[in-house]
């Protein structure tokens, strides 16, 4: 049986807009993220910053490049880069600064004022 009912177009994700009080990128981090987005063919993409369980201190950061914000995300523009954070992760990253160090032990580093302790690798923390 064929139906003549037209399919509803998918609704755009509902997200909120935040500011750099949530998360801020240094110029170095913004350049690196911009280059990675361009390399992946996503010049209008976003950097997702999330906090997940794991790591040697109990919580760890997870970063991913995506095409657009998802439902309930908080979108922040920092140094020309669009950053998205889910509401649960926002509780842990508020006030954080993301930096990028181009050195042997470099890479992305998060300076998080909410971290009670962090491990020597700098990639996990406890709140």
């Amino acid at each position: 049986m064929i139906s003549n009912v037209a399919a509803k177009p998918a609704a755009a994700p509902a997200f909120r807009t935040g500011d750099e009080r949530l998360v801020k990128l240094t110029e170095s981090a913004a350049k690196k993220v911009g280059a990675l987005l361009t390399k992946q063919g996503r010049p209008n993409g976003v950097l997702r910053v999330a906090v997940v369980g794991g790591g040697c201190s109990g919580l760890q950061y997870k970063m991913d490049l995506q095409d657009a914000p998802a439902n309930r995300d908080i979108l922040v523009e920092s140094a020309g880069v669009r950053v998205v954070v889910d509401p649960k992760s926002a509780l842990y990253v508020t006030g954080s600064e993301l930096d990028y160090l181009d050195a042997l032990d470099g890479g992305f580093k998060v300076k998080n004022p909410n971290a009670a302790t962090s491990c020597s690798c700098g990639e996990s923390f406890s709140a």
Side-chain angles (χ1 to χ4, degrees):
M1 177 175 195
I2 298 175
S3 173
N4 289 335
V5 177
K8 290 183 182 179
F15 59 87
R16 298 181 308 182
T17 302
D19 60 36
E20 289 184 326
R21 290 177 294 180
L22 177 59
V23 65
K24 181 179 180 178
L25 271 64
T26 64
E27 198 61 39
S28 175
K31 284 181 184 176
K32 185 63 176 179
V33 171
L36 290 169
L37 285 167
T38 300
K39 185 176 180 178
Q40 284 192 2
R42 301 176 186 201
N44 297 317
V46 298
L47 169 67
R48 172 168 303 283
V49 176
V51 174
V52 295
C56 31
S57 293
L59 298 169
Q60 63 186 6
Y61 302 104
K62 181 180 176 190
M63 290 180 235
D64 190 21
L65 300 176
Q66 298 180 338
D67 291 325
N71 279 331
R72 301 188 64 230
D73 278 346
I74 303 165
L75 174 69
V76 174
E77 187 157 333
S78 180
V81 173
R82 297 182 332 144
V83 182
V84 293
V85 180
D86 66 85
K88 186 176 176 184
S89 295
L91 298 171
Y92 296 103
V93 301
T94 297
S96 294
E97 180 181 72
L98 178 62
D99 194 10
Y100 180 78
L101 305 173
D102 196 11
L104 186 59
D105 65 341
F108 287 101
K109 302 290 181 188
V110 180
K111 296 175 190 167
N112 187 340
N114 305 304
T117 61
S118 59
C119 65
S120 60
C121 70
E123 295 177 10
S124 69
F125 68 100
S126 68

